[in-house]
Amino acid sequence: MVFGKIDYLNLLPLHIYLKKTPFPSYVKQTTEYKKGVPSKLNRSLYYKRIDAAIISSIESGRKKYKTLNIGICANKKVKSVLVKKHSQSKEDASSATSNALAKVLKQKGEVIIGDKALKLYLQNPQDYIDLCELWYEKTNLPFVFARFSCIKNFSIYKKMMKKFINSKIFIPQYILLEYSKTRNLSQKEITAYLRLIYYKIGTKEQQALKIFLAKTKNKIL
């Protein structure tokens, strides 16, 4: 079993869950974790280098994948998926979904995502457009940035992820401190950011995803 992990703060609770949860020994012994940015995991899953991952929502629309109603969601604002105001248009090579979202929302400028984007936004929020916030203004819906997708061992992953979505994840202080140092963000900023993120794709999230995929014509960008 090979599970792909996005190495961003927004999936820190999942990383902790996978590390701490006492899975059956045969699962634990055979599970590998491959880290990467969303676009890299998109390619890895497509070419079957990994079995499953939470990948870009636009990529998850491929018929070849089995999906779960679990992903990376935010409502009203996210602070880590941005377009820089008064800048030349430039896609972020790390993310297919965010680039497509900027186009759907007709926003020109540099697209910036992830922990780097969060730091920039917290320093100068007036310089950036939060694409999740703009999406909500136009649709009154949350946005689904990524979705669990799988090509192998689906039943095992389904059990694992169901437990995750029903668990309350405690982030130990030493892990917060470690991420604070590596991301150059305060522990308070990290915990505040994680309150914006949730993982259950419910009715409104499914509606939002359907609208987004229709607007992009389910084209992988």
Side-chain angles (χ1 to χ4, degrees), residues 2-11 15 32-45 50 52-56 72 92-95 113-115 146 183:
V2 185
F3 184 78
K5 299 198 302 182
I6 299 174
D7 193 22
Y8 289 158
L9 282 170
N10 55 23
L11 277 180
H15 297 176
E32 296 180 57
Y33 302 111
K34 302 289 186 182
K35 289 184 179 181
V37 296
S39 59
K40 181 180 178 181
L41 293 186
N42 290 350
R43 293 191 298 271
S44 294
L45 189 63
I50 57 178
I54 294 180
I55 62 171
S56 298
I72 300 173
D92 191 312
S94 301
S95 174
I113 74 158
D115 301 343
R183 281 13 182 218

PDB file of all heavy atoms in Angstrom, residues 2-11 15 32-45 50 52-56 72 92-95 113-115 146 183:
ATOM      1  N   VAL A   2       0.598   2.150  -0.905  1.00  0.00           N
ATOM      2  CA  VAL A   2       1.358   3.388  -0.997  1.00  0.00           C
ATOM      3  C   VAL A   2       0.374   4.559  -1.020  1.00  0.00           C
ATOM      4  O   VAL A   2      -0.419   4.697  -1.952  1.00  0.00           O
ATOM      5  CB  VAL A   2       2.242   3.436  -2.263  1.00  0.00           C
ATOM      6  CG1 VAL A   2       3.105   4.694  -2.234  1.00  0.00           C
ATOM      7  CG2 VAL A   2       3.108   2.193  -2.364  1.00  0.00           C
ATOM      8  N   PHE A   3       0.413   5.381   0.016  1.00  0.00           N
ATOM      9  CA  PHE A   3      -0.508   6.500   0.163  1.00  0.00           C
ATOM     10  C   PHE A   3       0.251   7.804  -0.031  1.00  0.00           C
ATOM     11  O   PHE A   3       1.305   8.025   0.577  1.00  0.00           O
ATOM     12  CB  PHE A   3      -1.156   6.474   1.549  1.00  0.00           C
ATOM     13  CG  PHE A   3      -2.193   7.542   1.761  1.00  0.00           C
ATOM     14  CD1 PHE A   3      -3.459   7.406   1.225  1.00  0.00           C
ATOM     15  CD2 PHE A   3      -1.904   8.678   2.493  1.00  0.00           C
ATOM     16  CE1 PHE A   3      -4.421   8.388   1.408  1.00  0.00           C
ATOM     17  CE2 PHE A   3      -2.854   9.670   2.689  1.00  0.00           C
ATOM     18  CZ  PHE A   3      -4.116   9.513   2.143  1.00  0.00           C
ATOM     19  N   GLY A   4      -0.265   8.677  -0.896  1.00  0.00           N
ATOM     20  CA  GLY A   4       0.375   9.959  -1.144  1.00  0.00           C
ATOM     21  C   GLY A   4      -0.092  11.018  -0.168  1.00  0.00           C
ATOM     22  O   GLY A   4      -1.284  11.132   0.104  1.00  0.00           O
ATOM     23  N   LYS A   5       0.845  11.804   0.347  1.00  0.00           N
ATOM     24  CA  LYS A   5       0.516  12.836   1.325  1.00  0.00           C
ATOM     25  C   LYS A   5       0.955  14.217   0.821  1.00  0.00           C
ATOM     26  O   LYS A   5       2.097  14.393   0.422  1.00  0.00           O
ATOM     27  CB  LYS A   5       1.198  12.558   2.664  1.00  0.00           C
ATOM     28  CG  LYS A   5       0.788  11.249   3.317  1.00  0.00           C
ATOM     29  CD  LYS A   5       1.131  11.215   4.791  1.00  0.00           C
ATOM     30  CE  LYS A   5       2.594  11.425   5.062  1.00  0.00           C
ATOM     31  NZ  LYS A   5       2.927  11.333   6.502  1.00  0.00           N
ATOM     32  N   ILE A   6       0.033  15.152   0.838  1.00  0.00           N
ATOM     33  CA  ILE A   6       0.370  16.535   0.523  1.00  0.00           C
ATOM     34  C   ILE A   6       1.076  17.125   1.733  1.00  0.00           C
ATOM     35  O   ILE A   6       0.543  17.115   2.843  1.00  0.00           O
ATOM     36  CB  ILE A   6      -0.894  17.357   0.197  1.00  0.00           C
ATOM     37  CG1 ILE A   6      -1.607  16.780  -1.028  1.00  0.00           C
ATOM     38  CG2 ILE A   6      -0.530  18.824  -0.047  1.00  0.00           C
ATOM     39  CD1 ILE A   6      -2.942  17.435  -1.324  1.00  0.00           C
ATOM     40  N   ASP A   7       2.265  17.645   1.522  1.00  0.00           N
ATOM     41  CA  ASP A   7       3.064  18.132   2.643  1.00  0.00           C
ATOM     42  C   ASP A   7       2.760  19.592   2.947  1.00  0.00           C
ATOM     43  O   ASP A   7       3.636  20.457   2.921  1.00  0.00           O
ATOM     44  CB  ASP A   7       4.551  17.946   2.330  1.00  0.00           C
ATOM     45  CG  ASP A   7       5.425  18.127   3.561  1.00  0.00           C
ATOM     46  OD1 ASP A   7       4.896  17.986   4.692  1.00  0.00           O
ATOM     47  OD2 ASP A   7       6.620  18.427   3.409  1.00  0.00           O
ATOM     48  N   TYR A   8       1.480  19.874   3.234  1.00  0.00           N
ATOM     49  CA  TYR A   8       1.043  21.209   3.616  1.00  0.00           C
ATOM     50  C   TYR A   8       0.364  21.142   4.980  1.00  0.00           C
ATOM     51  O   TYR A   8      -0.114  20.086   5.415  1.00  0.00           O
ATOM     52  CB  TYR A   8       0.036  21.762   2.602  1.00  0.00           C
ATOM     53  CG  TYR A   8       0.590  22.144   1.253  1.00  0.00           C
ATOM     54  CD1 TYR A   8      -0.243  22.212   0.142  1.00  0.00           C
ATOM     55  CD2 TYR A   8       1.938  22.464   1.066  1.00  0.00           C
ATOM     56  CE1 TYR A   8       0.237  22.569  -1.105  1.00  0.00           C
ATOM     57  CE2 TYR A   8       2.430  22.819  -0.180  1.00  0.00           C
ATOM     58  CZ  TYR A   8       1.574  22.863  -1.262  1.00  0.00           C
ATOM     59  OH  TYR A   8       2.053  23.218  -2.495  1.00  0.00           O
ATOM     60  N   LEU A   9       0.265  22.296   5.612  1.00  0.00           N
ATOM     61  CA  LEU A   9      -0.376  22.372   6.924  1.00  0.00           C
ATOM     62  C   LEU A   9      -1.819  21.884   6.897  1.00  0.00           C
ATOM     63  O   LEU A   9      -2.304  21.332   7.885  1.00  0.00           O
ATOM     64  CB  LEU A   9      -0.364  23.825   7.427  1.00  0.00           C
ATOM     65  CG  LEU A   9       0.955  24.351   8.004  1.00  0.00           C
ATOM     66  CD1 LEU A   9       0.845  25.852   8.219  1.00  0.00           C
ATOM     67  CD2 LEU A   9       1.301  23.633   9.295  1.00  0.00           C
ATOM     68  N   ASN A  10      -2.507  22.076   5.759  1.00  0.00           N
ATOM     69  CA  ASN A  10      -3.926  21.748   5.737  1.00  0.00           C
ATOM     70  C   ASN A  10      -4.206  20.255   5.905  1.00  0.00           C
ATOM     71  O   ASN A  10      -5.347  19.872   6.171  1.00  0.00           O
ATOM     72  CB  ASN A  10      -4.615  22.288   4.475  1.00  0.00           C
ATOM     73  CG  ASN A  10      -3.963  21.833   3.183  1.00  0.00           C
ATOM     74  OD1 ASN A  10      -3.285  20.814   3.132  1.00  0.00           O
ATOM     75  ND2 ASN A  10      -4.192  22.596   2.128  1.00  0.00           N
ATOM     76  N   LEU A  11      -3.190  19.411   5.765  1.00  0.00           N
ATOM     77  CA  LEU A  11      -3.387  17.979   6.009  1.00  0.00           C
ATOM     78  C   LEU A  11      -2.593  17.485   7.220  1.00  0.00           C
ATOM     79  O   LEU A  11      -2.442  16.282   7.410  1.00  0.00           O
ATOM     80  CB  LEU A  11      -3.012  17.157   4.766  1.00  0.00           C
ATOM     81  CG  LEU A  11      -4.118  17.059   3.713  1.00  0.00           C
ATOM     82  CD1 LEU A  11      -3.653  16.225   2.520  1.00  0.00           C
ATOM     83  CD2 LEU A  11      -5.394  16.464   4.291  1.00  0.00           C
ATOM     84  N   HIS A  15      -1.957  13.584   8.779  1.00  0.00           N
ATOM     85  CA  HIS A  15      -0.630  13.015   8.990  1.00  0.00           C
ATOM     86  C   HIS A  15      -0.499  12.468  10.416  1.00  0.00           C
ATOM     87  O   HIS A  15       0.039  11.378  10.627  1.00  0.00           O
ATOM     88  CB  HIS A  15       0.448  14.073   8.757  1.00  0.00           C
ATOM     89  CG  HIS A  15       0.472  14.588   7.344  1.00  0.00           C
ATOM     90  ND1 HIS A  15       1.311  15.591   6.928  1.00  0.00           N
ATOM     91  CD2 HIS A  15      -0.244  14.234   6.245  1.00  0.00           C
ATOM     92  CE1 HIS A  15       1.108  15.840   5.637  1.00  0.00           C
ATOM     93  NE2 HIS A  15       0.156  15.035   5.216  1.00  0.00           N
ATOM     94  N   GLU A  32       3.318   2.541   2.804  1.00  0.00           N
ATOM     95  CA  GLU A  32       4.351   3.547   2.593  1.00  0.00           C
ATOM     96  C   GLU A  32       3.674   4.887   2.356  1.00  0.00           C
ATOM     97  O   GLU A  32       2.547   4.944   1.878  1.00  0.00           O
ATOM     98  CB  GLU A  32       5.214   3.210   1.367  1.00  0.00           C
ATOM     99  CG  GLU A  32       6.018   1.934   1.471  1.00  0.00           C
ATOM    100  CD  GLU A  32       6.810   1.718   0.195  1.00  0.00           C
ATOM    101  OE1 GLU A  32       7.594   2.623  -0.170  1.00  0.00           O
ATOM    102  OE2 GLU A  32       6.628   0.670  -0.431  1.00  0.00           O
ATOM    103  N   TYR A  33       4.390   5.963   2.688  1.00  0.00           N
ATOM    104  CA  TYR A  33       3.837   7.288   2.490  1.00  0.00           C
ATOM    105  C   TYR A  33       4.761   8.097   1.587  1.00  0.00           C
ATOM    106  O   TYR A  33       5.947   8.224   1.855  1.00  0.00           O
ATOM    107  CB  TYR A  33       3.644   8.003   3.833  1.00  0.00           C
ATOM    108  CG  TYR A  33       2.741   7.259   4.776  1.00  0.00           C
ATOM    109  CD1 TYR A  33       3.243   6.664   5.926  1.00  0.00           C
ATOM    110  CD2 TYR A  33       1.387   7.119   4.503  1.00  0.00           C
ATOM    111  CE1 TYR A  33       2.409   5.956   6.787  1.00  0.00           C
ATOM    112  CE2 TYR A  33       0.548   6.417   5.351  1.00  0.00           C
ATOM    113  CZ  TYR A  33       1.063   5.844   6.490  1.00  0.00           C
ATOM    114  OH  TYR A  33       0.240   5.134   7.337  1.00  0.00           O
ATOM    115  N   LYS A  34       4.211   8.609   0.491  1.00  0.00           N
ATOM    116  CA  LYS A  34       4.980   9.422  -0.442  1.00  0.00           C
ATOM    117  C   LYS A  34       4.491  10.866  -0.352  1.00  0.00           C
ATOM    118  O   LYS A  34       3.311  11.136  -0.566  1.00  0.00           O
ATOM    119  CB  LYS A  34       4.799   8.912  -1.876  1.00  0.00           C
ATOM    120  CG  LYS A  34       5.203   7.454  -2.079  1.00  0.00           C
ATOM    121  CD  LYS A  34       6.705   7.257  -1.998  1.00  0.00           C
ATOM    122  CE  LYS A  34       7.062   5.815  -2.357  1.00  0.00           C
ATOM    123  NZ  LYS A  34       8.518   5.553  -2.253  1.00  0.00           N
ATOM    124  N   LYS A  35       5.397  11.786  -0.043  1.00  0.00           N
ATOM    125  CA  LYS A  35       5.022  13.182   0.092  1.00  0.00           C
ATOM    126  C   LYS A  35       5.198  13.922  -1.226  1.00  0.00           C
ATOM    127  O   LYS A  35       6.025  13.562  -2.055  1.00  0.00           O
ATOM    128  CB  LYS A  35       5.877  13.867   1.161  1.00  0.00           C
ATOM    129  CG  LYS A  35       5.561  13.426   2.580  1.00  0.00           C
ATOM    130  CD  LYS A  35       6.376  14.225   3.573  1.00  0.00           C
ATOM    131  CE  LYS A  35       6.053  13.819   5.014  1.00  0.00           C
ATOM    132  NZ  LYS A  35       6.827  14.612   5.993  1.00  0.00           N
ATOM    133  N   GLY A  36       4.396  14.969  -1.400  1.00  0.00           N
ATOM    134  CA  GLY A  36       4.538  15.787  -2.593  1.00  0.00           C
ATOM    135  C   GLY A  36       3.500  16.893  -2.626  1.00  0.00           C
ATOM    136  O   GLY A  36       2.568  16.915  -1.828  1.00  0.00           O
ATOM    137  N   VAL A  37       3.689  17.813  -3.561  1.00  0.00           N
ATOM    138  CA  VAL A  37       2.693  18.871  -3.761  1.00  0.00           C
ATOM    139  C   VAL A  37       1.517  18.271  -4.530  1.00  0.00           C
ATOM    140  O   VAL A  37       1.635  17.192  -5.119  1.00  0.00           O
ATOM    141  CB  VAL A  37       3.307  20.060  -4.538  1.00  0.00           C
ATOM    142  CG1 VAL A  37       4.419  20.702  -3.737  1.00  0.00           C
ATOM    143  CG2 VAL A  37       3.809  19.619  -5.914  1.00  0.00           C
ATOM    144  N   PRO A  38       0.361  18.943  -4.524  1.00  0.00           N
ATOM    145  CA  PRO A  38      -0.827  18.358  -5.174  1.00  0.00           C
ATOM    146  C   PRO A  38      -0.602  17.908  -6.610  1.00  0.00           C
ATOM    147  O   PRO A  38      -1.021  16.804  -6.992  1.00  0.00           O
ATOM    148  CB  PRO A  38      -1.848  19.497  -5.094  1.00  0.00           C
ATOM    149  CG  PRO A  38      -1.455  20.254  -3.868  1.00  0.00           C
ATOM    150  CD  PRO A  38       0.038  20.199  -3.826  1.00  0.00           C
ATOM    151  N   SER A  39       0.047  18.725  -7.431  1.00  0.00           N
ATOM    152  CA  SER A  39       0.229  18.358  -8.841  1.00  0.00           C
ATOM    153  C   SER A  39       1.084  17.106  -8.993  1.00  0.00           C
ATOM    154  O   SER A  39       0.855  16.284  -9.890  1.00  0.00           O
ATOM    155  CB  SER A  39       0.849  19.526  -9.619  1.00  0.00           C
ATOM    156  OG  SER A  39       2.101  19.896  -9.063  1.00  0.00           O
ATOM    157  N   LYS A  40       2.069  16.943  -8.115  1.00  0.00           N
ATOM    158  CA  LYS A  40       2.921  15.747  -8.169  1.00  0.00           C
ATOM    159  C   LYS A  40       2.119  14.496  -7.809  1.00  0.00           C
ATOM    160  O   LYS A  40       2.258  13.447  -8.446  1.00  0.00           O
ATOM    161  CB  LYS A  40       4.113  15.894  -7.213  1.00  0.00           C
ATOM    162  CG  LYS A  40       5.059  14.702  -7.238  1.00  0.00           C
ATOM    163  CD  LYS A  40       6.214  14.890  -6.278  1.00  0.00           C
ATOM    164  CE  LYS A  40       7.120  13.664  -6.276  1.00  0.00           C
ATOM    165  NZ  LYS A  40       8.250  13.835  -5.315  1.00  0.00           N
ATOM    166  N   LEU A  41       1.275  14.619  -6.795  1.00  0.00           N
ATOM    167  CA  LEU A  41       0.452  13.468  -6.399  1.00  0.00           C
ATOM    168  C   LEU A  41      -0.580  13.151  -7.474  1.00  0.00           C
ATOM    169  O   LEU A  41      -0.924  11.980  -7.677  1.00  0.00           O
ATOM    170  CB  LEU A  41      -0.226  13.741  -5.058  1.00  0.00           C
ATOM    171  CG  LEU A  41       0.715  13.848  -3.846  1.00  0.00           C
ATOM    172  CD1 LEU A  41      -0.095  13.962  -2.567  1.00  0.00           C
ATOM    173  CD2 LEU A  41       1.664  12.671  -3.767  1.00  0.00           C
ATOM    174  N   ASN A  42      -1.080  14.178  -8.164  1.00  0.00           N
ATOM    175  CA  ASN A  42      -1.987  13.921  -9.288  1.00  0.00           C
ATOM    176  C   ASN A  42      -1.337  12.985 -10.297  1.00  0.00           C
ATOM    177  O   ASN A  42      -1.934  11.988 -10.727  1.00  0.00           O
ATOM    178  CB  ASN A  42      -2.338  15.234 -10.008  1.00  0.00           C
ATOM    179  CG  ASN A  42      -3.231  16.151  -9.184  1.00  0.00           C
ATOM    180  OD1 ASN A  42      -3.757  15.766  -8.144  1.00  0.00           O
ATOM    181  ND2 ASN A  42      -3.390  17.364  -9.661  1.00  0.00           N
ATOM    182  N   ARG A  43      -0.101  13.309 -10.675  1.00  0.00           N
ATOM    183  CA  ARG A  43       0.616  12.490 -11.657  1.00  0.00           C
ATOM    184  C   ARG A  43       0.943  11.109 -11.109  1.00  0.00           C
ATOM    185  O   ARG A  43       0.844  10.103 -11.825  1.00  0.00           O
ATOM    186  CB  ARG A  43       1.896  13.205 -12.093  1.00  0.00           C
ATOM    187  CG  ARG A  43       1.662  14.482 -12.879  1.00  0.00           C
ATOM    188  CD  ARG A  43       2.946  14.997 -13.502  1.00  0.00           C
ATOM    189  NE  ARG A  43       3.941  15.344 -12.496  1.00  0.00           N
ATOM    190  CZ  ARG A  43       4.032  16.544 -11.936  1.00  0.00           C
ATOM    191  NH1 ARG A  43       3.172  17.496 -12.259  1.00  0.00           N
ATOM    192  NH2 ARG A  43       4.966  16.794 -11.044  1.00  0.00           N
ATOM    193  N   SER A  44       1.334  11.051  -9.849  1.00  0.00           N
ATOM    194  CA  SER A  44       1.705   9.770  -9.238  1.00  0.00           C
ATOM    195  C   SER A  44       0.531   8.806  -9.205  1.00  0.00           C
ATOM    196  O   SER A  44       0.683   7.613  -9.468  1.00  0.00           O
ATOM    197  CB  SER A  44       2.243   9.994  -7.821  1.00  0.00           C
ATOM    198  OG  SER A  44       3.460  10.710  -7.848  1.00  0.00           O
ATOM    199  N   LEU A  45      -0.667   9.326  -8.890  1.00  0.00           N
ATOM    200  CA  LEU A  45      -1.841   8.464  -8.853  1.00  0.00           C
ATOM    201  C   LEU A  45      -2.254   8.062 -10.272  1.00  0.00           C
ATOM    202  O   LEU A  45      -2.592   6.902 -10.516  1.00  0.00           O
ATOM    203  CB  LEU A  45      -2.999   9.165  -8.140  1.00  0.00           C
ATOM    204  CG  LEU A  45      -4.219   8.286  -7.840  1.00  0.00           C
ATOM    205  CD1 LEU A  45      -3.853   7.148  -6.893  1.00  0.00           C
ATOM    206  CD2 LEU A  45      -5.355   9.102  -7.236  1.00  0.00           C
ATOM    207  N   ILE A  50       1.348   5.463  -6.844  1.00  0.00           N
ATOM    208  CA  ILE A  50       0.760   5.365  -5.517  1.00  0.00           C
ATOM    209  C   ILE A  50      -0.633   4.765  -5.667  1.00  0.00           C
ATOM    210  O   ILE A  50      -1.194   4.736  -6.765  1.00  0.00           O
ATOM    211  CB  ILE A  50       0.682   6.734  -4.805  1.00  0.00           C
ATOM    212  CG1 ILE A  50      -0.120   7.738  -5.650  1.00  0.00           C
ATOM    213  CG2 ILE A  50       2.075   7.268  -4.499  1.00  0.00           C
ATOM    214  CD1 ILE A  50      -0.293   9.100  -4.995  1.00  0.00           C
ATOM    215  N   ALA A  52      -3.365   5.615  -3.535  1.00  0.00           N
ATOM    216  CA  ALA A  52      -4.424   6.536  -3.122  1.00  0.00           C
ATOM    217  C   ALA A  52      -3.804   7.830  -2.614  1.00  0.00           C
ATOM    218  O   ALA A  52      -2.640   7.859  -2.205  1.00  0.00           O
ATOM    219  CB  ALA A  52      -5.288   5.907  -2.034  1.00  0.00           C
ATOM    220  N   ALA A  53      -4.598   8.888  -2.631  1.00  0.00           N
ATOM    221  CA  ALA A  53      -4.148  10.174  -2.110  1.00  0.00           C
ATOM    222  C   ALA A  53      -5.329  11.126  -2.075  1.00  0.00           C
ATOM    223  O   ALA A  53      -6.362  10.881  -2.711  1.00  0.00           O
ATOM    224  CB  ALA A  53      -3.036  10.775  -2.976  1.00  0.00           C
ATOM    225  N   ILE A  54      -5.187  12.193  -1.325  1.00  0.00           N
ATOM    226  CA  ILE A  54      -6.135  13.297  -1.415  1.00  0.00           C
ATOM    227  C   ILE A  54      -5.565  14.231  -2.468  1.00  0.00           C
ATOM    228  O   ILE A  54      -4.589  14.950  -2.215  1.00  0.00           O
ATOM    229  CB  ILE A  54      -6.332  13.982  -0.055  1.00  0.00           C
ATOM    230  CG1 ILE A  54      -7.016  13.008   0.907  1.00  0.00           C
ATOM    231  CG2 ILE A  54      -7.177  15.248  -0.198  1.00  0.00           C
ATOM    232  CD1 ILE A  54      -7.271  13.555   2.288  1.00  0.00           C
ATOM    233  N   ILE A  55      -6.135  14.179  -3.671  1.00  0.00           N
ATOM    234  CA  ILE A  55      -5.584  14.894  -4.816  1.00  0.00           C
ATOM    235  C   ILE A  55      -6.468  16.082  -5.199  1.00  0.00           C
ATOM    236  O   ILE A  55      -7.577  16.237  -4.691  1.00  0.00           O
ATOM    237  CB  ILE A  55      -5.426  13.950  -6.035  1.00  0.00           C
ATOM    238  CG1 ILE A  55      -6.785  13.409  -6.487  1.00  0.00           C
ATOM    239  CG2 ILE A  55      -4.452  12.829  -5.733  1.00  0.00           C
ATOM    240  CD1 ILE A  55      -6.739  12.644  -7.806  1.00  0.00           C
ATOM    241  N   SER A  56      -5.965  16.913  -6.098  1.00  0.00           N
ATOM    242  CA  SER A  56      -6.708  18.082  -6.565  1.00  0.00           C
ATOM    243  C   SER A  56      -8.124  17.684  -6.974  1.00  0.00           C
ATOM    244  O   SER A  56      -8.321  16.687  -7.667  1.00  0.00           O
ATOM    245  CB  SER A  56      -6.000  18.707  -7.767  1.00  0.00           C
ATOM    246  OG  SER A  56      -4.710  19.157  -7.414  1.00  0.00           O
ATOM    247  N   ILE A  72     -10.208  18.206   1.232  1.00  0.00           N
ATOM    248  CA  ILE A  72      -9.797  19.449   1.879  1.00  0.00           C
ATOM    249  C   ILE A  72     -10.820  20.511   1.513  1.00  0.00           C
ATOM    250  O   ILE A  72     -10.946  20.898   0.343  1.00  0.00           O
ATOM    251  CB  ILE A  72      -8.396  19.891   1.421  1.00  0.00           C
ATOM    252  CG1 ILE A  72      -7.363  18.816   1.765  1.00  0.00           C
ATOM    253  CG2 ILE A  72      -8.012  21.216   2.085  1.00  0.00           C
ATOM    254  CD1 ILE A  72      -5.987  19.097   1.185  1.00  0.00           C
ATOM    255  N   ASP A  92       0.299  28.578 -10.522  1.00  0.00           N
ATOM    256  CA  ASP A  92       1.127  27.900  -9.532  1.00  0.00           C
ATOM    257  C   ASP A  92       1.293  26.454  -9.986  1.00  0.00           C
ATOM    258  O   ASP A  92       0.312  25.714 -10.081  1.00  0.00           O
ATOM    259  CB  ASP A  92       0.465  27.950  -8.146  1.00  0.00           C
ATOM    260  CG  ASP A  92       1.395  27.487  -7.033  1.00  0.00           C
ATOM    261  OD1 ASP A  92       2.029  26.423  -7.205  1.00  0.00           O
ATOM    262  OD2 ASP A  92       1.480  28.170  -6.005  1.00  0.00           O
ATOM    263  N   ALA A  93       2.510  26.045 -10.259  1.00  0.00           N
ATOM    264  CA  ALA A  93       2.773  24.698 -10.782  1.00  0.00           C
ATOM    265  C   ALA A  93       2.389  23.601  -9.804  1.00  0.00           C
ATOM    266  O   ALA A  93       2.273  22.435 -10.184  1.00  0.00           O
ATOM    267  CB  ALA A  93       4.256  24.565 -11.138  1.00  0.00           C
ATOM    268  N   SER A  94       2.140  23.963  -8.551  1.00  0.00           N
ATOM    269  CA  SER A  94       1.825  22.968  -7.527  1.00  0.00           C
ATOM    270  C   SER A  94       0.377  22.514  -7.554  1.00  0.00           C
ATOM    271  O   SER A  94       0.045  21.479  -6.985  1.00  0.00           O
ATOM    272  CB  SER A  94       2.135  23.529  -6.126  1.00  0.00           C
ATOM    273  OG  SER A  94       3.484  23.895  -6.017  1.00  0.00           O
ATOM    274  N   SER A  95      -0.512  23.310  -8.179  1.00  0.00           N
ATOM    275  CA  SER A  95      -1.937  23.036  -8.005  1.00  0.00           C
ATOM    276  C   SER A  95      -2.755  23.219  -9.274  1.00  0.00           C
ATOM    277  O   SER A  95      -2.792  24.311  -9.848  1.00  0.00           O
ATOM    278  CB  SER A  95      -2.517  23.948  -6.917  1.00  0.00           C
ATOM    279  OG  SER A  95      -3.914  23.799  -6.828  1.00  0.00           O
ATOM    280  N   ILE A 113      -0.335  29.179  -3.684  1.00  0.00           N
ATOM    281  CA  ILE A 113      -1.057  28.292  -2.771  1.00  0.00           C
ATOM    282  C   ILE A 113      -0.144  27.772  -1.666  1.00  0.00           C
ATOM    283  O   ILE A 113       1.064  27.927  -1.703  1.00  0.00           O
ATOM    284  CB  ILE A 113      -1.673  27.086  -3.518  1.00  0.00           C
ATOM    285  CG1 ILE A 113      -0.584  26.069  -3.898  1.00  0.00           C
ATOM    286  CG2 ILE A 113      -2.446  27.518  -4.730  1.00  0.00           C
ATOM    287  CD1 ILE A 113      -1.089  24.675  -4.133  1.00  0.00           C
ATOM    288  N   GLY A 114      -0.780  27.125  -0.698  1.00  0.00           N
ATOM    289  CA  GLY A 114      -0.041  26.390   0.323  1.00  0.00           C
ATOM    290  C   GLY A 114       0.449  27.237   1.477  1.00  0.00           C
ATOM    291  O   GLY A 114      -0.010  28.364   1.711  1.00  0.00           O
ATOM    292  N   ASP A 115       1.419  26.701   2.193  1.00  0.00           N
ATOM    293  CA  ASP A 115       1.930  27.349   3.396  1.00  0.00           C
ATOM    294  C   ASP A 115       2.600  28.681   3.073  1.00  0.00           C
ATOM    295  O   ASP A 115       2.525  29.631   3.844  1.00  0.00           O
ATOM    296  CB  ASP A 115       2.912  26.418   4.115  1.00  0.00           C
ATOM    297  CG  ASP A 115       2.266  25.095   4.502  1.00  0.00           C
ATOM    298  OD1 ASP A 115       1.018  25.023   4.517  1.00  0.00           O
ATOM    299  OD2 ASP A 115       3.004  24.140   4.785  1.00  0.00           O
ATOM    300  N   ALA A 146      -9.570  19.558  -2.633  1.00  0.00           N
ATOM    301  CA  ALA A 146      -9.002  18.241  -2.925  1.00  0.00           C
ATOM    302  C   ALA A 146      -9.956  17.164  -2.435  1.00  0.00           C
ATOM    303  O   ALA A 146     -10.784  17.416  -1.552  1.00  0.00           O
ATOM    304  CB  ALA A 146      -7.637  18.095  -2.253  1.00  0.00           C
ATOM    305  N   ARG A 183       7.778  26.350   8.950  1.00  0.00           N
ATOM    306  CA  ARG A 183       6.893  27.200   8.128  1.00  0.00           C
ATOM    307  C   ARG A 183       7.056  28.680   8.422  1.00  0.00           C
ATOM    308  O   ARG A 183       6.462  29.510   7.757  1.00  0.00           O
ATOM    309  CB  ARG A 183       5.433  26.815   8.357  1.00  0.00           C
ATOM    310  CG  ARG A 183       4.844  25.596   7.665  1.00  0.00           C
ATOM    311  CD  ARG A 183       5.782  24.668   7.023  1.00  0.00           C
ATOM    312  NE  ARG A 183       5.084  23.579   6.352  1.00  0.00           N
ATOM    313  CZ  ARG A 183       5.510  22.325   6.319  1.00  0.00           C
ATOM    314  NH1 ARG A 183       6.632  21.984   6.925  1.00  0.00           N
ATOM    315  NH2 ARG A 183       4.846  21.388   5.662  1.00  0.00           N
TER     316      ARG A 183
END
